[in-house]
Amino acid sequence: MRDTSTTTPPRTQAAQPTIADRKRQLVREEISAVAMRLFLEHGFDQVPVEQIAAKAGVSRTTFFRYFPTKEDVVLFQNERFGPQVLESLRARPDTERVWEAFTRAFEDALTTVGTPQDGLPVVAIVCGNPQIHARNLEKQREWRPLFAPEVARRLALTGDEVGDTRAHALTAAAFACLEVAFDTWTSSDGKKDLLELLRQAMEAISS
């Protein structure tokens, strides 16, 4: 008989960032903040890397040391979202079904850094630019293996099944619902309720 225990796997203690790590993070935040101001004022396609670097007080070479592409400057604003969702998912009660837990985890993560409206400018750029949108989907794909152990645990899958298609499919489907909610939200210029759109998308899959 298959072992269906739901013991939470041990979690490794995250390494504390070094002074160099914190400095690098601060520089990335500054460059990204400057870039976003320029993008919102002039449009993403109209702002070259050289203009961002000049406004941020760094060289073009330094810019590329911190960001491989101009698209990555926008996605930097969103890179913590996946880990935040996973943290929220792990904190959800074990009594919740995995799909419900995913919905609540998304809601928690979306409101962690403020109201959803605060993120509208960034989401609008991501959804409105095919290259950035494609890069964002790549990042979401990279997050799937991170979610697999927790999703598998909630599905009562055994250790050998952590990489099971079901765990990855559920994660991909959940983020697809989020993408649909974001698309509809930005199309309404933020007038519609993002959390309600998310619930509608998630409920459509579970109905």
Side-chain angles (χ1 to χ4, degrees), residues 45 121 161 164:
D45 293 328
E161 296 173 310
D164 188 280

Side-chain angles (χ1 to χ4, degrees), residues 6 88-106 150-156 166 170 174 202 205-207:
T6 56
S88 295
L89 182 64
R90 286 171 171 166
R92 299 305 306 173
D94 285 347
T95 53
E96 290 181 349
R97 295 175 64 86
V98 65
W99 196 248
E100 180 185 359
F102 247 126
T103 303
R104 304 293 175 243
F106 279 142
E150 176 62 16
V151 176
R153 185 185 72 82
R154 287 179 174 272
L155 291 174
R166 287 166 288 183
L170 273 169
M202 299 291 281
I205 298 296
S206 61
S207 62

Side-chain angles (χ1 to χ4, degrees), residues 2-207:
R2 190 177 72 178
D3 178 11
T4 57
S5 64
T6 56
T7 302
T8 304
R11 298 169 190 168
T12 57
Q13 183 69 31
Q16 293 299 312
T18 64
I19 292 177
D21 291 335
R22 291 196 292 270
K23 180 180 178 181
R24 177 179 176 80
Q25 183 71 5
L26 288 172
V27 173
R28 296 188 77 205
E29 288 175 359
E30 177 61 25
I31 294 174
S32 181
V34 169
M36 289 305 300
R37 287 197 294 270
L38 292 172
F39 295 156
L40 294 175
E41 183 178 351
H42 303 290
F44 178 81
D45 293 328
Q46 282 64 50
V47 179
V49 167
E50 290 77 9
Q51 185 178 0
I52 299 171
K55 284 286 186 180
V58 299
S59 68
R60 187 175 186 274
T61 301
T62 299
F63 173 91
F64 285 116
R65 189 179 302 138
Y66 287 95
F67 294 100
T69 69
K70 192 171 74 168
E71 288 79 8
D72 286 306
V73 180
V74 179
L75 295 179
F76 170 73
Q77 303 282 329
N78 196 38
E79 68 179 15
R80 276 292 303 157
F81 185 71
Q84 284 176 338
V85 174
L86 179 55
E87 183 178 335
S88 295
L89 182 64
R90 286 171 171 166
R92 299 305 306 173
D94 285 347
T95 53
E96 290 181 349
R97 295 175 64 86
V98 65
W99 196 248
E100 180 185 359
F102 247 126
T103 303
R104 304 293 175 243
F106 279 142
E107 293 172 349
D108 291 344
L110 287 171
T111 56
T112 294
V113 294
T115 64
Q117 199 71 23
D118 296 334
L120 179 60
V122 176
V123 176
I125 292 177
V126 172
C127 292
N129 184 291
Q131 286 182 305
I132 302 178
H133 191 249
R135 292 275 293 172
N136 191 50
L137 293 178
E138 286 179 17
K139 283 186 174 291
Q140 290 183 11
R141 185 186 181 92
E142 293 170 1
W143 288 337
R144 287 185 207 168
L146 303 179
F147 281 82
E150 176 62 16
V151 176
R153 185 185 72 82
R154 287 179 174 272
L155 291 174
L157 301 178
T158 64
D160 292 338
E161 296 173 310
V162 167
D164 188 280
T165 303
R166 287 166 288 183
H168 288 278
L170 273 169
T171 302
F175 275 97
C177 288
L178 180 67
E179 283 296 308
V180 170
F182 276 145
D183 286 343
T184 307
W185 184 52
T186 55
S187 296
S188 75
D189 198 25
K191 294 181 175 64
K192 293 186 177 181
D193 188 319
L194 175 59
L195 297 182
E196 180 58 30
L197 293 171
L198 172 63
R199 293 185 197 107
Q200 290 174 3
M202 299 291 281
E203 289 171 3
I205 298 296
S206 61
S207 62

